[in-house]
Amino acid sequence: MRPRRKVFAEGFIGETVECYRKAADSPTVRNSELKWAHDVLIEYFKAVELNGKIKSSYEIFRKCPSEVQPEAKRNTLLPSEFKPYKHSDLPKSKITFDELQHLFTKRRSVRWYQEREVEIERVTAAINIASLAPSACNRQPYRHIIIKDKETILAIANLAGGTKGFSHNIPLLIVSIGDLSAYPYERDRHLIYIDSSLANMQLLLALQTLGLDSCPINWPDIRDKDEKISKALQLPPHERVIMLISTGYALDEGEIPYSQKKYWEEITQII
């Protein structure tokens, strides 16, 4: 923030440090996430006046592990340090508007695929960069289930409705799952749908660049459907299905419906 105040986040720092302390003791938290949290907290305590609640939180933080060795960074385009950086440090984009338009146009919803195995490595690579999508407070309240088994694909895809004509032809199915445990307040429940959808759109485009076509499949918000898919996938109560995504190599002879999109004048209001 500009100008930066000498005291800020006083109402949240105690909870934040406590979360970090618990994470540092947890065997399931990645070192890269711990390193990120540690370095950001270091920068925070450098920037504020150490008094009152902030000083108490700082004393607790000092007793937490100070040396965290992260795994090698998978995204080498980001700065090497795990703390705020300047906008000018971001990599320069080489993609032109016309090239982006070509990608957007190439990515059509495909329902007819070749009988060809989908390499998991391509899907996980796409998921990895799709997670760069914006997420409220960087909670990233989602995960993906990749289904390769034909019988399971058929059973899960048919639960969505409107898929029985092509569900037998899906070589690989991705189930996007939203995690409500990241949000303790009812007012934030909708964020799993926003954050997951932002990441899923990037996932669809990333798959396209790797030669994989896809089709986002709408998931109906109906209780009995939710119960059936939650049981089939053994989801805990705090998780919700956001959407299904079929992916594979498009059948060359498979037809794509022409979808006339609205022009900006029809969907935009300038105030």
Side-chain angles (χ1 to χ4, degrees):
M1 300 296 293
R2 289 174 177 259
R4 176 177 283 175
R5 301 193 304 271
K6 292 183 178 180
V7 174
F8 61 94
E10 191 174 12
F12 299 97
I13 188 59
E15 179 183 1
T16 302
V17 168
E18 180 60 18
C19 284
Y20 173 76
R21 187 188 65 78
K22 290 180 179 178
D25 291 335
S26 172
T28 61
V29 178
R30 280 186 177 273
N31 278 0
S32 55
E33 290 189 77
L34 280 178
K35 173 67 173 172
W36 166 57
H38 175 271
D39 289 3
V40 170
L41 283 168
I42 286 288
E43 292 299 307
Y44 169 78
F45 286 120
K46 284 181 181 178
V48 296
E49 291 182 351
L50 297 178
N51 54 32
K53 294 179 181 178
I54 295 178
K55 185 176 182 180
S56 300
S57 297
Y58 177 64
E59 294 302 324
I60 295 172
F61 174 69
R62 285 181 59 193
K63 297 176 183 178
C64 295
S66 58
E67 293 297 327
V68 181
Q69 296 300 322
E71 308 88 351
K73 272 194 173 182
R74 293 185 181 181
N75 190 344
T76 56
L77 297 177
L78 288 173
S80 58
E81 295 183 295
F82 289 64
K83 60 184 183 181
Y85 49 90
K86 294 179 180 179
H87 187 271
S88 58
D89 292 335
L90 287 169
K92 301 296 185 291
S93 175
K94 298 179 181 179
I95 301 173
T96 66
F97 181 86
D98 287 344
E99 289 171 332
L100 191 62
Q101 184 179 26
H102 275 85
L103 174 60
F104 285 8
T105 305
K106 172 65 175 174
R107 197 232 60 82
R108 299 293 89 194
S109 292
V110 168
R111 294 171 177 82
W112 300 105
Y113 302 96
Q114 300 175 31
E115 290 187 12
R116 177 179 169 186
E117 184 179 356
V118 176
E119 301 89 341
I120 291 294
E121 294 77 14
R122 293 196 177 198
V123 178
T124 55
I127 289 173
N128 211 40
I129 67 167
S131 68
L132 290 168
S135 170
C137 298
N138 196 36
R139 287 186 177 98
Q140 301 172 72
Y142 51 78
R143 67 185 182 98
H144 302 87
I145 297 176
I146 299 174
I147 305 176
K148 297 174 59 180
D149 178 71
K150 279 288 187 181
E151 290 186 10
T152 307
I153 288 174
L154 200 61
I156 297 300
N158 283 342
L159 285 174
T163 56
K164 291 186 178 179
F166 71 97
S167 57
H168 63 283
N169 183 238
I170 298 174
L172 185 141
L173 187 68
I174 303 169
V175 185
S176 173
I177 308 291
D179 183 0
L180 284 166
S181 70
Y183 300 96
Y185 303 111
E186 185 178 1
R187 65 173 184 260
D188 294 328
R189 287 184 303 178
H190 65 289
L191 288 174
I192 63 169
Y193 300 99
I194 295 175
D195 287 3
S196 298
S197 296
L198 288 168
N200 285 335
M201 190 63 245
Q202 294 202 166
L203 172 57
L204 296 174
L205 293 170
L207 289 169
Q208 192 67 56
T209 65
L210 295 172
L212 289 168
D213 293 278
S214 60
C215 179
I217 300 171
N218 180 49
W219 178 251
D221 188 11
I222 302 172
R223 176 175 289 182
D224 70 311
K225 295 278 189 181
D226 276 332
E227 290 175 351
K228 286 178 181 178
I229 201 167
S230 293
K231 182 177 180 181
L233 297 175
Q234 299 182 328
L235 303 182
H238 60 268
E239 290 189 332
R240 296 286 186 276
V241 172
I242 305 298
M243 68 174 70
L244 313 180
I245 299 172
S246 65
T247 187
Y249 295 94
L251 193 67
D252 290 339
E253 297 78 21
E255 292 185 309
I256 303 294
Y258 186 93
S259 301
Q260 177 57 43
K261 304 302 182 182
K262 295 181 179 180
Y263 293 109
W264 75 266
E265 295 95 336
E266 301 170 84
I267 57 176
T268 307
Q269 179 183 10
I270 300 175
I271 300 176

